[in-house]
Amino acid sequence: GYFGLFFGLEKQGALFFRIYSCSKAMRSLALALLPLAWACSYVEIPYPAGENGTSYMIGRTMEFSNLAGLTKHHVEVVPAYLAGGKHGYVAPVTTLGLSALHVKVPGEGMNDVGLTVSALMFMESVYEERQDGVPAVKFEDVIPQLLTHCDTVASALAFLASVRVVRSLLSMEARFHWAIADASGHSVVVEYLQGQRKVSQNTPRVLTNDPNLEWHWRNLNTYSNLSPYYPSQNSFLEVETDHNVGRVPHPVGHGWNLHGLPGDSSAVSRFVRLFYLRGYALHTAPMKDESDATVLGTALL
């Protein structure tokens, strides 16, 4: 099951956008600020707890700083009677205030039965077209709709199948894909590609941004040379040399087992690092409790 979430909110915050009626100038300014928030990371960390014997700590960031002194970050609790559904939820909120305009939509949240939904920037998204007789949900409203009406991954997927997730004014500059997980440990990713909904079982339990999830999975094969162990596979080649050089080839210093691990901040590199470094950390020292998982998640992010 899922015990809880923690979020990177220092100079950052979960992304929130709901654009109410506003002037054209205000809309343009709000949208112009959005490209600065294209770096989201999501990782699930297992630890012993819960009915199934394993719970998961969800750690994620969304780099959206205090733009022009106009943004505020806080955690918002929405009870069921205000949410308009059968469940209440808690969510980290970023509010962008521009005069009379307040942009505010949950980009992350957990409801009262442990369903979690995490939106991460995904500009490759092409959402569904509206269809007569079928309810339409703007993509920025997916999180509150799922959190208020659904209790499991299965029910969330059924809800999405019953509606059309459509673009909005916001989709000119921001689009999402979603990691959805429930209290049983079931975890999926939902993407909209070429106007079609694609559901992937999130067994790697990692998500970042573009390109699509299938591409990220295949890219993990590129780094299969990495190892959690000190490199000794070439020790059979070692020979003694002159001039006090010693035996060669022999690794000097530490970290060569991770040689080739990408270190930049791109979505591709963040996905690789989260997957391999989490795996190596768990292999070396399995989590004992929630606190261990929180510490590891903080270090990874």
Side-chain angles (χ1 to χ4, degrees), residues 278-301:
R278 177 200 55 190
Y280 291 165
L282 293 174
H283 178 76
T284 302
M287 303 293 96
K288 297 178 181 178
D289 52 32
E290 170 202 348
S291 295
D292 282 356
T294 303
V295 170
L296 175 56
T298 302
L300 290 173
L301 294 173

Side-chain angles (χ1 to χ4, degrees), residues 7 9 12-17 64 71-78 89-96 103-108:
F7 308 89
L9 290 174
Q12 303 174 8
L15 179 63
F16 273 98
F17 291 112
F64 189 65
T71 53
K72 296 180 180 179
H73 309 301
H74 64 280
V75 174
E76 189 170 277
V77 178
V78 182
Y89 63 88
V90 59
V93 177
T94 294
T95 301
L96 174 62
V103 183
K104 177 185 174 183
V105 164
E108 176 76 47

Side-chain angles (χ1 to χ4, degrees), residues 9-299:
L9 290 174
E10 306 172 1
K11 297 185 180 178
Q12 303 174 8
L15 179 63
F16 273 98
F17 291 112
R18 175 170 290 140
I19 296 186
Y20 297 100
S21 58
C22 57
S23 70
K24 181 177 180 181
M26 288 180 177
R27 290 198 301 268
S28 298
L29 179 55
L31 293 174
L33 296 174
L34 292 178
L36 298 179
W38 287 7
C40 324
S41 300
Y42 170 101
V43 61
E44 301 177 18
I45 302 169
Y47 66 96
E51 295 181 1
N52 299 330
T54 301
S55 289
Y56 293 86
M57 178 68 72
I58 299 176
R60 64 86 44 93
T61 63
M62 188 166 275
E63 286 72 12
F64 189 65
S65 60
N66 187 4
L67 301 175
L70 299 174
T71 53
K72 296 180 180 179
H73 309 301
H74 64 280
V75 174
E76 189 170 277
V77 178
V78 182
Y81 74 90
L82 289 179
K86 62 181 181 179
H87 299 296
Y89 63 88
V90 59
V93 177
T94 294
T95 301
L96 174 62
L98 298 170
S99 183
L101 168 67
H102 290 278
V103 183
K104 177 185 174 183
V105 164
E108 176 76 47
M110 172 185 276
N111 69 14
D112 51 22
V113 290
L115 181 71
T116 69
V117 187
S118 306
L120 289 82
M121 280 290 211
F122 183 54
M123 296 306 292
E124 190 178 332
S125 298
V126 178
Y127 296 111
E128 297 169 307
E129 295 295 329
R130 294 177 182 271
Q131 180 178 337
D132 292 341
V134 180
V137 175
K138 293 179 181 179
F139 81 97
E140 66 264 32
D141 291 328
V142 164
I143 286 180
Q145 289 293 316
L146 293 182
L147 292 179
T148 57
H149 295 292
C150 306
D151 50 12
T152 64
V153 167
S155 64
L157 296 180
F159 179 90
L160 292 175
S162 71
V163 302
R164 306 287 283 184
V165 174
V166 300
R167 62 185 180 274
S168 68
L169 174 66
L170 181 60
S171 60
M172 291 188 297
E173 290 289 341
R175 295 164 217 157
F176 302 148
H177 56 181
W178 296 269
I180 306 174
D182 63 28
S184 73
H186 189 188
S187 180
V188 300
V189 170
V190 175
E191 298 176 317
Y192 286 83
L193 301 171
Q194 300 179 342
Q196 301 294 318
R197 183 179 66 258
K198 183 175 183 178
V199 178
S200 303
Q201 300 300 317
N202 192 13
T203 49
R205 299 184 184 269
V206 173
L207 189 62
T208 56
N209 313 110
D210 297 77
N212 62 73
L213 185 60
E214 183 178 335
W215 189 99
H216 282 291
W217 286 353
R218 294 184 187 279
N219 186 54
L220 291 176
N221 296 332
T222 305
Y223 301 92
S224 57
N225 61 294
L226 300 175
S227 170
Y229 304 110
Y230 192 75
S232 59
Q233 64 270 25
N234 290 317
S235 59
F236 70 96
L237 293 174
E238 288 185 10
V239 295
E240 193 68 43
T241 60
D242 289 337
H243 311 298
N244 295 320
V245 173
R247 295 182 66 82
V248 296
H250 184 75
V252 179
H254 299 281
W256 291 107
N257 57 309
L258 298 179
H259 181 62
L261 184 72
D264 60 83
S265 297
S266 68
V268 171
S269 297
R270 285 183 279 113
F271 194 102
V272 171
R273 284 199 304 275
L274 286 173
F275 179 81
Y276 277 100
L277 294 181
R278 177 200 55 190
Y280 291 165
L282 293 174
H283 178 76
T284 302
M287 303 293 96
K288 297 178 181 178
D289 52 32
E290 170 202 348
S291 295
D292 282 356
T294 303
V295 170
L296 175 56
T298 302

